[in-house]
Amino acid sequence: MYNHEYVDLSRKATMQKTHTPVAEVLAELFEDSDVIYAMEGNNILLMKRNDRSEKSQDNRKVTGVVRDTYGEPLTRVSVAVQGTTSGTITDMDGNYSLKLPGENSVLTFSFIGFNTKEERVGNRQQIDVMLEENVLAIDEVVVVGYGTQKKVNLTGSASSVVFDQEMDNRPITNASQALSGKVTGLWVSQNSGKPGEDGAQLRVRGWGTIGDNTDPLVIVDGVEGAFNQINPNDIESITILKDAASAAIYGSKAANGVVLITTKMGSSNEKFQVNLNSYMGVQSLGRRYNLITNSAENMELINKTLINDGSSPLFPDHMISAFRQGGDKYKYPNTDWFKEVYNTAIIHEHNLSIRGGYTKEHFFPFF
């Protein structure tokens, strides 16, 4: 809407704009003219500039507070006057103060992780704003090193293992053991059961490396780490990046694949939870060797070996006879050490955790 007495319809202007807000186009179009504009929804009002009224508006300020949906103030929120270069940011308490270039200004509030909001000033001198969080759907978007991608674009290159109740019931001593049989394209082999060395060997789509190390890169909550540094009960999920594209994010260390580990943590306004995870079992040696466990027989074989080699026997016959009779078990011991060491034993583990959170505090201690 306009008055033809104030707006020169014969004036011509040439502009090239792409994906530009209408307000910015109008501001540049009438920058050197005596025409100003106002926007209300899809309606645009063109008026003659009043130098006196504009001058009076130069000293006008608008103030306010920017908060989130929980009522907490937001810091460093960008507050800009739409169609101009005027703007500011909120302080530590979420407060802002901004001079207005003219009437009918529109303020734009934007912050990372929140939806952008616009507010028309009008005659108001204080404008308090509440920004809503922009939550990404987990089943639709995957967060990567340099931004976000749709999950359909990552199908086949990333596999995830969630440590749910099924995983919690597995008696694993090393987190790497949990990946066995859970991820396609991942080879898992546990070569030792020795305490402290019971980690599984991982190979992502076979052997292939630029050096001697063929292990995948392990990232724990964004920091490079190792499986033996983590309690399996602390893990929320494990994601395996199997394509060479992961090297664009993590460099040459990702040549053998990347294992992303996310640990458990409390969340905002989460109810107080106490979890106890316990298991108990019996362990025994799976394969036993046929060994010589009699001292007298062992000495006889040693003597026979020495005689066959042309030497004299080491043990006399009366000593061998004394060990065979075994009268004094301290003087003539005859112990099957293999049996003593590898007796059937009880194995048990107990883990207690407390989980919860408030608006600003999250906690997940583990015992």
Side-chain angles (χ1 to χ4, degrees):
M1 296 183 293
Y2 61 91
N3 189 329
H4 64 87
E5 295 181 359
Y6 301 143
V7 180
D8 183 10
L9 299 181
S10 63
R11 177 174 176 261
K12 295 182 179 181
T14 302
M15 303 177 65
Q16 293 183 357
K17 298 290 182 181
T18 304
H19 303 296
T20 305
V22 176
E24 294 185 16
V25 176
L26 294 176
E28 184 176 341
L29 182 65
F30 299 117
E31 182 177 4
D32 299 328
S33 67
D34 59 350
V35 177
I36 61 175
Y37 71 93
M39 298 182 63
E40 184 67 37
N42 292 328
N43 299 317
I44 302 175
L45 177 63
L46 303 182
M47 300 168 289
K48 185 177 180 179
R49 187 186 303 274
N50 189 329
D51 294 336
R52 184 177 179 182
S53 63
E54 287 295 309
K55 186 175 181 181
S56 64
Q57 292 291 337
D58 289 342
N59 296 325
R60 182 185 174 191
K61 288 185 178 180
V62 62
T63 60
V65 182
V66 182
R67 295 185 174 89
D68 59 13
T69 53
Y70 300 105
E72 299 296 329
L74 294 176
T75 305
R76 303 191 67 82
V77 176
S78 175
V79 184
V81 180
Q82 194 177 86
T84 69
T85 58
S86 301
T88 184
I89 59 175
T90 57
D91 59 14
M92 296 296 295
D93 298 322
N95 298 314
Y96 72 93
S97 177
L98 185 63
K99 287 185 178 182
L100 299 179
E103 60 185 7
N104 299 316
S105 298
V106 178
L107 300 183
T108 302
F109 300 84
S110 59
F111 191 55
I112 297 177
F114 291 80
N115 294 323
T116 301
K117 191 171 185 178
E118 296 181 356
E119 287 285 342
R120 180 170 297 279
V121 178
N123 296 325
R124 293 182 293 176
Q125 295 182 351
Q126 180 172 352
I127 300 178
D128 296 334
V129 176
M130 181 184 69
L131 297 184
E132 297 180 354
E133 295 183 5
N134 183 10
V135 181
L136 299 177
I138 296 179
D139 58 342
E140 296 177 356
V141 177
V142 176
V143 179
V144 296
Y146 291 136
T148 59
Q149 293 185 17
K150 291 184 178 180
K151 188 174 182 180
V152 65
N153 297 332
L154 292 176
T155 301
S157 63
S159 300
S160 298
V161 177
V162 180
F163 277 58
D164 52 10
Q165 185 176 1
E166 177 186 354
M167 298 296 295
D168 292 338
N169 291 333
R170 294 177 59 179
I172 57 178
T173 57
N174 190 286
S176 59
Q177 302 169 7
L179 300 177
S180 179
K182 292 292 184 179
V183 179
T184 58
L186 179 66
W187 182 80
V188 182
S189 176
Q190 184 179 355
N191 300 323
S192 172
K194 183 179 179 180
E197 298 180 6
D198 52 356
Q201 190 179 42
L202 305 180
R203 294 294 178 267
V204 178
R205 292 183 176 174
W207 273 257
T209 180
I210 60 175
D212 296 333
N213 184 12
T214 57
D215 296 328
L217 176 65
V218 179
I219 303 294
V220 182
D221 291 335
V223 180
E224 185 176 353
F227 275 106
N228 54 12
Q229 299 174 347
I230 309 172
N231 187 331
N233 295 278
D234 288 344
I235 298 178
E236 182 79 25
S237 64
I238 298 179
T239 301
I240 313 296
L241 303 182
K242 297 175 287 185
D243 281 357
S246 57
I249 304 173
Y250 298 101
S252 59
K253 288 186 176 181
N256 301 306
V258 182
V259 179
L260 303 178
I261 300 177
T262 303
T263 58
K264 297 177 181 179
M265 63 184 67
S267 57
S268 299
N269 298 325
E270 183 179 10
K271 292 183 178 179
F272 188 84
Q273 299 180 14
V274 178
N275 298 318
L276 176 62
N277 189 342
S278 301
Y279 71 83
M280 179 176 293
V282 177
Q283 58 180 354
S284 59
L285 191 64
R287 178 184 297 176
R288 293 184 177 273
Y289 300 99
N290 186 17
L291 302 178
I292 297 175
T293 59
N294 184 280
S295 299
E297 184 180 359
N298 184 48
M299 288 187 289
E300 288 176 346
L301 290 175
I302 292 176
N303 285 346
K304 184 179 294 186
T305 301
L306 293 174
I307 294 173
N308 292 337
D309 195 38
S311 302
S312 301
L314 178 63
F315 302 103
D317 292 339
H318 69 275
M319 181 181 293
I320 296 176
S321 178
F323 271 95
R324 180 175 286 110
Q325 294 175 3
D328 189 346
K329 64 179 180 179
Y330 297 103
K331 188 175 181 180
Y332 305 106
N334 194 21
T335 304
D336 185 354
W337 291 109
F338 191 85
K339 179 181 179 181
E340 296 295 331
V341 172
Y342 293 102
N343 281 331
T344 300
I346 296 177
I347 181 174
H348 58 90
E349 182 178 347
H350 310 279
N351 295 280
L352 177 65
S353 65
I354 303 174
R355 185 172 184 173
Y358 306 101
T359 303
K360 290 186 176 181
E361 297 179 357
H362 306 155
F363 57 87
F364 185 75
F366 206 91
F367 309 96

